[in-house]
Amino acid sequence: MTVSEFIAKWQRVELTERSASQQHFLDLCELFEHPKPADLDPLGEWFTFERGADKHGGGKGWADVWKREFFGWEYKGKHKNLDAAYNQLLKYREALENPPLLVVCDMDRIVIHTNFTATVKKVYEISLAELGAARNIEIMRQAFHDPERLRPGVTSEAITTEVARRLAQVAQGLRTRGLDPSEVARFLDRIVFCLFAEDVGLLPKELFSRIVQKSNRDGARFQKLIGQLFDAMMEGGDFGLEEIRRFNGNLFTESPALELTPEEIDAIQEAGRLDWGAVDPSIFGTLFERGLDPEKRSQLGAQYTSREDIETLIEPVVMRPLREEWQQARQEIESLLRTGKSDPSGKAKPLSEKAARERARAVARRYLERLSEVRVLDPACGSGNFLYVTLQKLKDLEKEALVYASDNQLGAFLPMVGPWQFYGIEVNPYAFDLAQTTVWIGYLQWIRANGFGTPPDPVLRRMDENFRCMDAIIDLSDPDNPREPEWPAVEFIVGNPPFLGGKRMRAELGDEYVNKLFEVWEGRVPSEADLVCYWFEKARKHIEEEKCKRAGLLATQGIRGGANREVLKRIKETGDIFFAESDRNWILNGANVHISMVGFDAGSQKQKTLDQREVISINSNLTAHADVTTAKQLKENFKIAFQGPVKVGKFEIENDLATKFLLSPNPHSRPNSDILFLWVNGLDITKRPRSYWIIDFGSASLEQASKYQEPFEYVQHFIKPDRIRNADRQRREFWWRLGRSGGDWKSATQNILRTIFTPRVSKHRLFTWFEGVTLPDSAVVGFARSDDYFFGLLHSRLHEVWALKLGTRLETRPRYTATTCFETFPFPHPTPEQEANIAQAAKYLDDLRSRWLNPPEWTREEILEFPGSTDGPWARYVHDPDERGIGTVRYPRLVPKDEEAAKQLARRTLTNLYNQRPTWLDLAHKSLDQAVFAAYGWDASISDDEILARLLALNLEREPAKRSGE
């Protein structure tokens, strides 16, 4: 058959849809050289007419023709409403396995709607008379043979980003003119909604675009016209010759229009030319919000949460119980329709067919009403992403129930789920307004995309009670009497509260705010905890008070450790954690950080899921193995590990300045080496030592310190100006001293020739030796031990596994703390032979590493000489002291042999070594591990979970440490 023959034949045909549709399709197969359904798929499993006619108790077919992964095809009689046919396909597309194309046809027209995920929808309309056009023949061939070639090239994300960029320009302009932030936000929200409403048919076609054009870049004229449109949308009525639907809600209430510049009108006009029906609110809101107020949101760490992350939390917390209820309802319906009984195993007498169907209908109605009563709160809703995605998931489930009821001839129920069931709390007025717009746009998009037409007037409903612009964790309406704010009673709480570390809260939020926050939450949230913990505790309390059933919140991975973990412990005391993603990659300001997701309730959810696997229980550190959070600090480990001194000022100095100070005399004849130490931070361990020194006056008085003249004058000039403004009185008054002197470390190491350091935060858990005259930075943990045996235990697999679980993370790097990682670690009680084996293996490892880091072929020994005292920190290096005890320090250190050697050595770092982990290093560690496992009497092949369980058992057997005051 040729195209001309096909056109001529079907121009004459006046048959009904039922009589003509299958023959029409068979002719198309022949025309475009495609096998017919019965030839290609005799069983009708993946290419067939009347797909679904025999499904669900004899319900009507879902598509007149269906080819898996190609199309669903619906016919209508000539000149009938093809929009109705398309809506029918939309309602059943899930049952058709979401084909990439949805095709409707009335024999005079073929209309192809693309249905690809995350792309702009595209429509190809081909009339019978123009079927022979080259482009139309190409489109039809692709529909039958290669639908992927009809995939739109523009993604919804690309359009969303471009829309947000253009409107952010307008937002910036309005802000720089000093306009009220709330008015700017509300005005731009209305612009956003109008552009969307125009493209999806809620406003007359191209109305908004015509307003922009008619204004002719005149700001006052645009302000007048758009204000009139806003007024018409609020109440409904005439706008010029156009009739405007009634939108109502609170979006167009008290809606002053703002005057724009010509350039801003141009930006809106360009944004209006894009496909607003394809805008994805789940990312649009955040992109636009950044343009509106980037400083405030980045301050509090509120960032775009991907749809995948949102769904990962929403599914177990909100959707899982609702789906389980739906499965129970379906089982009851199917039993009633099949046996006449709600429970087929019960003894009750079967109902008549009519009564059973009425009962089944009531079950379906009851479930749909149940969905309409669901209430969801996001107490840090930002631009509404969590609420938008949750609404879509809830609507998807409602649609499944509606289609099921229709297929089983239980009646045509109306959809009832909508934005009015969602609640938000947001302190930022920009985001507060935008969140409501996001949710409404998402809702209207969903009903349009799923074949449920458009909503009746009013299109929008008021949401004054649902969304609250307020601080979610403290009510300062009466500043003298701060209190905990009220959250609405709901069924589910979900969201992504702001990321802000406990140590940054005062700098970002101010002392007054933080002090009042601590006052209100005293006894419930530790003062050292991160800001997110207040949302966790508030949600826990809401559940305890039966104002909520389940909550799911996102936090940084730090929620698992330290003071933060206390809020998870409280959750387990009054309820339980039923879902967690313990360690998940996430992007924050372009950096890869680690987050945790936590779902919790009052303890009713018995099935627990941790990191996508079923577990018996989830501990407060988000593990399922032995609960190491119960580990106690041990007496035998006390006063061995110390965090380095806290400087509070740039007391560290480079080598050249230190050498100058070391050689300069003082009025009291004491050498400056008394108060100058070698100094290292984490970089000096993970990379290469940079030969830094630190000025440390210890507990010296002002008079004593001033006699070390040049170092004191340096501190006076460079450090005092900042220190005298410090909020801490001690640090303000004693400005020449380190913020925390590290006296405990100095006392513990005064008779030790070498000590062990490890960075508090690093990719690899590394332990290294340093001379006793070296002072660790606060970002380093030092160990007051000098024996190889102890070094070997620290560098063993057992200690590393323990430290990783007891510590937390900073971004992608594990954090080590003296109290949690070390003081809880139960060391073995070895025999002398076992101790010697560990020491030997540790020394062997260190010797190999040291030779790799500083090969003798590239290094030489240099003797650094300067005055020193026999009662000072450099005493062991002092030669030829005089009667005062002052002599010459001769300190040996390794330096590169020459410039070429220095270049080679620059690449020899511990991080690079452990990134490569050559065979010799791996074998040395395995040899050490074998010796350590033997001291415990354990097999070296046991799993990490078994290691943790056994170490915890040992910990709980040992004597706990007693702190001062206990």
Side-chain angles (χ1 to χ4, degrees):
M1 177 177 283
T2 66
V3 174
S4 297
E5 291 171 341
F6 180 91
I7 294 172
K9 173 181 177 178
W10 287 98
Q11 281 179 335
R12 298 191 305 270
V13 170
E14 295 294 338
L15 297 173
T16 63
E17 173 196 345
R18 180 179 295 274
S19 302
S21 59
Q22 292 194 7
Q23 184 58 52
H24 183 271
F25 186 81
L26 293 172
D27 282 355
L28 284 173
C29 289
E30 184 175 338
L31 177 61
F32 294 107
E33 299 172 331
H34 188 278
K36 296 170 183 176
D39 295 334
L40 199 59
D41 178 21
L43 299 179
E45 294 177 343
W46 52 271
F47 185 25
T48 182
F49 291 111
E50 298 297 331
R51 166 65 175 175
D54 297 326
K55 299 291 183 181
H56 298 308
K60 294 182 179 179
W62 296 333
D64 290 324
V65 195
W66 172 70
K67 184 180 180 185
R68 178 180 288 146
E69 297 180 357
F70 279 72
F71 49 70
W73 195 303
E74 188 69 21
Y75 276 98
K76 289 293 179 185
K78 279 195 174 186
H79 314 301
K80 291 294 179 67
N81 185 353
L82 289 184
D83 288 342
Y86 177 57
N87 284 340
Q88 183 174 333
L89 284 175
L90 287 174
K91 291 176 183 176
Y92 287 99
R93 63 182 168 184
E94 288 83 8
L96 300 172
E97 302 177 24
N98 263 314
L101 304 177
L102 300 175
V103 186
V104 292
C105 178
D106 67 355
M107 269 66 79
D108 273 343
R109 291 173 298 157
I110 299 173
V111 184
I112 301 172
H113 299 259
T114 63
N115 188 45
F116 296 93
T117 303
T119 64
V120 176
K121 304 297 181 187
K122 191 164 185 179
V123 179
Y124 302 91
E125 183 166 343
I126 302 170
S127 68
L128 178 61
E130 296 177 348
L131 182 61
R135 176 54 179 156
N136 291 338
I137 291 174
E138 179 186 8
I139 290 170
M140 291 301 298
R141 284 193 178 279
Q142 289 167 351
F144 274 97
H145 297 279
D146 189 6
E148 185 64 28
R149 297 183 64 183
L150 296 178
R151 178 189 290 271
V154 181
T155 65
S156 57
E157 183 173 357
I159 284 191
T160 299
T161 303
E162 179 62 15
V163 161
R165 186 183 70 80
R166 294 189 182 280
L167 287 178
Q169 296 172 7
V170 181
Q172 285 293 110
L174 292 169
R175 290 176 65 212
T176 55
R177 295 202 290 278
L179 296 174
D180 178 77
S182 297
E183 286 192 4
V184 172
R186 292 181 68 80
F187 174 66
L188 288 172
D189 284 344
R190 295 182 186 96
I191 296 290
V192 167
F193 189 83
C194 287
L195 291 168
F196 165 77
E198 178 185 67
D199 273 14
V200 301
L202 294 172
L203 284 176
K205 189 174 182 179
E206 298 184 352
L207 174 63
F208 192 89
S209 303
R210 283 182 274 140
I211 289 174
V212 175
Q213 291 171 358
K214 190 173 182 179
S215 71
N216 197 28
R217 302 182 79 231
D218 183 324
R221 186 174 178 81
F222 177 81
Q223 181 184 24
K224 176 183 176 182
L225 291 172
I226 202 67
Q228 291 172 355
L229 176 61
F230 290 167
D231 291 341
M233 293 176 75
M234 179 173 65
E235 298 294 342
D238 294 332
F239 176 75
L241 298 178
E242 302 286 0
E243 184 175 352
I244 305 300
R245 296 183 60 182
R246 182 183 174 215
F247 286 81
N248 198 9
N250 56 354
L251 189 58
F252 294 97
T253 304
E254 299 175 359
S255 53
L258 304 180
E259 185 171 347
L260 302 180
T261 65
E263 293 74 22
E264 290 162 357
I265 294 173
D266 290 343
I268 287 179
Q269 184 174 31
E270 289 300 316
R273 288 175 179 149
L274 299 168
D275 183 359
W276 277 78
V279 166
D280 180 359
S282 73
I283 59 175
F284 171 75
T286 301
L287 291 169
F288 187 35
E289 178 190 324
R290 286 177 184 168
L292 287 171
D293 193 4
E295 297 89 357
K296 183 70 175 177
R297 299 304 292 177
S298 61
Q299 257 184 19
L300 296 182
Q303 297 291 328
Y304 168 55
T305 311
S306 73
R307 188 183 187 103
E308 179 185 358
D309 286 333
I310 294 173
E311 289 183 347
T312 298
L313 188 66
I314 293 300
E315 279 293 339
V317 174
V318 179
M319 300 311 299
R320 177 176 173 174
L322 298 176
R323 292 189 203 284
E324 289 174 350
E325 290 179 38
W326 172 231
Q327 289 305 314
Q328 293 171 4
R330 279 189 59 161
Q331 289 171 8
E332 185 176 356
I333 291 170
E334 288 167 3
S335 177
L336 283 164
L337 296 179
R338 188 175 64 253
T339 69
K341 297 194 293 183
S342 296
D343 180 4
S345 62
K347 296 181 180 179
K349 183 179 178 181
L351 298 171
S352 67
E353 181 179 348
K354 181 180 179 181
R357 184 163 294 279
E358 280 300 314
R359 178 77 62 82
R361 175 181 169 82
V363 173
R365 183 194 303 111
R366 186 170 65 242
Y367 181 74
L368 289 166
E369 289 172 350
R370 156 81 175 108
L371 290 183
S372 72
E373 295 167 356
V374 169
R375 298 290 181 269
V376 181
L377 166 68
D378 183 344
C381 67
S383 52
N385 293 352
F386 268 83
L387 297 176
Y388 159 78
V389 174
T390 308
L391 171 60
Q392 284 210 324
K393 304 289 282 186
L394 202 59
K395 290 294 293 180
D396 287 342
L397 181 57
E398 181 188 44
K399 176 185 172 182
E400 181 182 332
L402 288 168
V403 170
Y404 178 85
S406 177
D407 286 346
N408 286 279
Q409 300 171 352
L410 300 178
F413 297 101
L414 294 175
M416 295 181 284
V417 171
W420 43 88
Q421 297 172 229
F422 292 82
Y423 296 74
I425 298 174
E426 174 56 45
V427 69
N428 185 323
Y430 291 123
F432 165 74
D433 272 331
L434 189 56
Q436 299 171 68
T437 307
T438 298
V439 172
W440 272 110
I441 288 178
Y443 169 70
L444 295 170
Q445 277 184 330
W446 188 95
I447 60 175
R448 178 173 178 262
N450 286 274
F452 287 92
T454 58
D457 288 353
V459 176
L460 308 177
R461 299 188 192 178
R462 296 188 66 86
M463 299 181 70
D464 296 333
E465 293 300 316
N466 294 50
F467 284 79
R468 303 179 186 177
C469 187
M470 68 179 208
D471 191 313
I473 56 174
I474 188 168
D475 180 353
L476 295 175
S477 55
D478 179 359
D480 295 329
N481 296 287
R483 60 182 180 175
E484 185 179 340
E486 282 296 319
W487 288 5
V490 292
E491 187 170 353
F492 303 102
I493 291 174
V494 293
N496 173 18
F499 295 172
L500 186 63
K503 293 182 179 179
R504 291 180 52 215
M505 283 169 57
R506 288 189 179 276
E508 299 291 353
L509 303 175
D511 288 335
E512 183 178 1
Y513 178 93
V514 172
N515 289 338
K516 290 178 178 178
L517 188 69
F518 290 172
E519 176 187 337
V520 170
W521 294 88
E522 185 178 4
R524 292 170 59 191
V525 178
S527 58
E528 305 86 359
D530 294 348
L531 190 65
V532 71
C533 294
Y534 294 86
W535 274 263
F536 274 80
E537 168 57 21
K538 179 69 175 176
R540 181 207 66 80
K541 186 69 171 176
H542 225 49
I543 292 172
E544 184 182 34
E545 294 176 345
E546 298 184 352
K547 296 177 181 177
C548 176
K549 291 184 178 178
R550 295 159 74 94
L553 298 173
L554 188 150
T556 62
Q557 193 262 4
I559 194 73
R560 307 195 306 166
N564 295 334
R565 191 167 62 217
E566 295 303 311
V567 298
L568 298 187
K569 287 182 178 179
R570 285 178 63 83
I571 285 171
K572 288 188 67 67
E573 288 169 2
T574 60
D576 207 356
I577 299 169
F578 61 80
F579 162 80
E581 287 280 319
S582 64
D583 190 353
R584 184 179 178 95
N585 288 335
W586 203 70
I587 302 300
L588 177 62
N589 285 334
N592 183 17
V593 299
H594 282 237
I595 62 166
S596 296
M597 298 180 179
V598 186
F600 51 99
D601 65 356
S604 59
Q605 176 72 56
K606 301 306 178 186
Q607 192 173 3
K608 311 291 194 297
T609 304
L610 173 65
D611 298 332
Q612 293 95 51
R613 60 190 177 91
E614 296 296 322
V615 296
I616 296 174
S617 179
I618 301 175
N619 303 321
S620 60
N621 65 342
L622 306 186
T623 63
H625 47 64
D627 188 0
V628 294
T629 64
T630 62
K632 59 197 178 187
Q633 292 165 295
L634 302 177
K635 180 180 180 181
E636 61 196 50
N637 294 17
F638 196 39
K639 293 188 177 180
I640 296 175
F642 302 86
Q643 179 183 335
V646 179
K647 302 191 305 290
V648 192
K650 191 171 173 54
F651 286 87
E652 73 274 20
I653 57 176
E654 294 185 1
N655 186 66
D656 289 347
L657 182 59
T659 302
K660 177 178 178 293
F661 288 168
L662 286 167
L663 297 177
S664 64
N666 290 313
H668 62 344
S669 298
R670 295 289 300 182
N672 282 327
S673 60
D674 285 355
I675 49 87
L676 285 171
F677 296 78
L678 294 171
W679 176 85
V680 295
N681 68 7
L683 289 177
D684 296 294
I685 299 172
T686 59
K687 294 186 176 180
R688 293 194 68 82
R690 297 167 297 163
S691 299
Y692 267 73
W693 297 67
I694 190 167
I695 302 169
D696 179 10
F697 292 111
S699 58
S701 67
L702 180 64
E703 181 183 0
Q704 292 168 332
S706 67
K707 291 174 182 175
Y708 295 97
Q709 185 172 338
E710 290 197 25
F712 180 83
E713 289 175 353
Y714 172 89
V715 172
Q716 189 174 37
H717 180 76
F718 290 104
I719 295 170
K720 180 181 178 182
D722 286 332
R723 282 288 290 270
I724 60 175
R725 294 195 297 268
N726 196 284
D728 185 283
R729 184 181 63 82
Q730 283 285 109
R731 292 174 177 178
R732 193 169 57 246
E733 292 181 3
F734 297 98
W735 51 264
W736 61 92
R737 299 178 187 172
L738 299 180
R740 187 172 63 78
S741 68
D744 50 357
W745 166 254
K746 294 172 188 173
S747 297
T749 59
Q750 60 183 343
N751 298 316
I752 296 179
L753 298 180
R754 64 176 184 173
T755 55
I756 303 168
F757 290 172
T758 189
R760 290 179 62 203
V761 177
S762 65
K763 179 180 178 181
H764 305 286
R765 183 47 48 209
L766 305 170
F767 298 87
T768 56
W769 291 109
F770 282 91
E771 298 287 340
V773 288
T774 307
L775 203 61
D777 179 59
S778 60
V780 172
V781 173
F783 300 86
R785 289 280 291 264
S786 61
D787 52 306
D788 292 317
Y789 162 73
F790 185 82
F791 178 86
L793 292 174
L794 290 181
H795 235 316
S796 68
R797 176 187 160 210
L798 288 95
H799 182 61
E800 182 175 16
V801 168
W802 183 263
L804 283 172
K805 287 301 178 187
L806 271 292
T808 57
R809 281 182 180 268
L810 178 63
E811 296 179 358
T812 59
R813 297 160 295 160
R815 180 189 274 115
Y816 187 99
T817 60
T819 51
T820 59
C821 299
F822 174 77
E823 291 185 0
T824 60
F825 182 71
F827 286 89
H829 295 158
T831 65
E833 182 181 0
Q834 290 170 337
E835 183 173 334
N837 289 341
I838 293 172
Q840 183 180 0
K843 187 175 187 309
Y844 178 68
L845 168 65
D846 184 59
D847 287 345
L848 289 175
R849 259 186 4 187
S850 297
R851 184 177 173 82
W852 184 87
L853 288 167
N854 297 295
E857 295 85 352
W858 297 347
T859 57
R860 64 181 175 83
E861 188 178 87
E862 175 185 83
I863 303 297
L864 184 63
E865 294 189 352
F866 52 85
S869 59
T870 54
D871 59 349
W874 295 86
R876 71 180 68 102
Y877 301 104
V878 172
H879 291 261
D880 305 321
D882 59 19
E883 67 280 359
R884 297 171 304 155
I886 308 296
T888 300
V889 170
R890 295 191 178 114
Y891 175 67
R893 61 181 182 180
L894 288 178
V895 295
K897 274 188 174 179
D898 50 41
E899 289 186 10
E900 182 59 32
K903 293 179 183 177
Q904 298 284 350
L905 287 169
R907 293 189 289 270
R908 295 258 171 144
T909 70
L910 278 177
T911 295
N912 287 342
L913 176 61
Y914 277 83
N915 282 342
Q916 300 165 14
R917 202 172 181 93
T919 302
W920 63 262
L921 179 66
D922 193 54
L923 291 174
H925 271 284
K926 286 179 178 176
S927 178
L928 173 61
D929 287 339
Q930 288 282 357
V932 175
F933 272 96
Y936 281 94
W938 301 342
D939 189 324
S941 65
I942 62 175
S943 68
D944 288 357
D945 283 355
E946 183 64 20
I947 287 173
L948 291 169
R950 294 188 185 193
L951 288 174
L952 177 62
L954 285 180
N955 171 279
L956 298 176
E957 292 173 1
R958 305 279 174 90
E959 184 178 352
K962 287 189 176 182
R963 301 289 180 176
S964 58
E966 291 185 353

